[in-house]
Amino acid sequence: MDCDPEWTSYQTAFHRDGFRRGHSYVRNFIPKAWPSGIKFTEQWILPGWDCFTRGSCAMQKAEDKARWTTEMIQFAIDMSLPVQENFFPRRKRLPTGSVAATLEFAEAQRQARSQGKPNWRELELDGSTEPITETVNVALSMSTEVKKNLPPGGVRWLYLRSEVKRIIDGRMDMEILLCDETMELIAISQHAAQIIPAAQKWERKGKGVKI
């Protein structure tokens, strides 16, 4: 899919204490063209935990590469791009998880790969080391219904579609669909979360309050 002119990929670098460490285990492929009013995000995801910490996959043979299994369905769902980051007005610095920012990160990584840089995933301002965001989600409830198990040997590709159903007084209701390579539904997840200023979360964490 890296050769598809209509899609591009992004995978944050791994940092042991990084803000986006969880996302470093997944390589995201997203469309280059999006509507002006984004109400949902879509992405194809590849396992990335078999990659070098800041570079490409460490496995050369296809049979040795990591695969998604049924036990990883919830983790895969948690890797969806944050739809709400696209609702904020464009500023000099784009919201880190927005589609616009992700496309910029993807292009920077593409250029680094074309230049032969081994640490092509290392970017300065993608929030991989410390938070660069104005808001965060605090989970209120989450339920996931698995419609179909993945094959025993797992799969390489999964498709995610995340849609915000409504936001009222900072409370966000979201639905996430997970499909396999044939677009057959694997799982559907319902999320309810409160959107709060990022500074508020870090302040509470500093006081030992769990969020």
Side-chain angles (χ1 to χ4, degrees), residues 96-113:
T96 307
S98 66
V99 167
T102 303
L103 288 173
E104 288 188 358
F105 302 151
E107 176 58 21
Q109 290 186 344
R110 186 197 66 79
Q111 292 182 16
R113 286 196 302 274

Side-chain angles (χ1 to χ4, degrees), residues 136 196-205 211:
V136 293
I196 65 171
Q200 182 178 335
K201 180 171 183 177
W202 313 141
E203 180 182 352
R204 291 186 181 182
K205 275 195 170 183
I211 298 181

Side-chain angles (χ1 to χ4, degrees), residues 26 45 68 72-80 158 160 178:
V26 175
I45 55 174
W68 296 106
M72 298 176 180
I73 285 177
Q74 187 60 60
F75 173 68
I77 288 173
D78 290 342
M79 293 299 101
S80 62
L158 288 175
L160 278 170
L178 181 71

Side-chain angles (χ1 to χ4, degrees), residues 138-155:
V138 178
L140 301 176
S141 66
M142 177 177 61
S143 64
T144 299
E145 181 182 357
V146 177
K147 299 289 189 178
K148 174 187 174 183
N149 287 338
L150 294 173
V155 298

Side-chain angles (χ1 to χ4, degrees), residues 14-203:
F14 173 85
H15 293 276
R16 188 176 301 275
D17 299 318
F19 176 65
R20 304 181 75 181
R21 183 177 61 181
H23 287 268
S24 70
Y25 299 123
V26 175
R27 188 169 181 183
N28 299 281
F29 291 79
I30 65 172
K32 291 182 179 179
W34 291 80
S36 56
I38 296 176
K39 296 182 179 179
F40 69 90
T41 59
E42 62 174 340
Q43 64 202 101
W44 286 93
I45 55 174
L46 271 179
W49 55 86
D50 57 351
C51 295
F52 293 108
T53 56
R54 293 166 178 78
S56 301
C57 183
M59 305 300 174
Q60 298 300 317
K61 296 181 180 179
E63 60 269 24
D64 294 333
K65 293 183 178 181
R67 304 175 76 84
W68 296 106
T69 63
T70 299
E71 293 76 17
M72 298 176 180
I73 285 177
Q74 187 60 60
F75 173 68
I77 288 173
D78 290 342
M79 293 299 101
S80 62
L81 294 173
V83 189
Q84 73 282 357
E85 295 260 299
N86 300 285
F87 300 160
F88 298 103
R90 291 182 67 108
R91 299 180 180 177
K92 186 174 182 180
R93 174 174 288 178
L94 296 167
T96 307
S98 66
V99 167
T102 303
L103 288 173
E104 288 188 358
F105 302 151
E107 176 58 21
Q109 290 186 344
R110 186 197 66 79
Q111 292 182 16
R113 286 196 302 274
S114 66
Q115 295 167 7
K117 295 181 179 180
N119 292 343
W120 56 266
R121 283 162 51 196
E122 188 70 81
L123 299 178
E124 185 177 354
L125 296 175
D126 68 343
S128 58
T129 55
E130 58 184 23
I132 306 176
T133 183
E134 295 184 9
T135 65
V136 293
N137 299 341
V138 178
L140 301 176
S141 66
M142 177 177 61
S143 64
T144 299
E145 181 182 357
V146 177
K147 299 289 189 178
K148 174 187 174 183
N149 287 338
L150 294 173
V155 298
R156 284 285 290 164
W157 292 92
L158 288 175
Y159 172 84
L160 278 170
R161 187 185 190 278
S162 309
E163 181 178 3
V164 170
K165 296 299 185 180
R166 65 177 184 174
I167 298 179
I168 299 178
D169 296 330
R171 177 193 164 105
M172 177 178 66
D173 294 328
M174 183 169 63
E175 179 181 81
I176 301 175
L177 303 180
L178 181 71
C179 301
D180 63 12
E181 294 171 294
T182 65
M183 295 304 291
E184 185 170 353
L185 184 63
I186 299 299
I188 180 170
S189 188
Q190 305 290 341
H191 290 213
Q194 190 72 31
I195 301 175
I196 65 171
Q200 182 178 335
K201 180 171 183 177
W202 313 141
E203 180 182 352

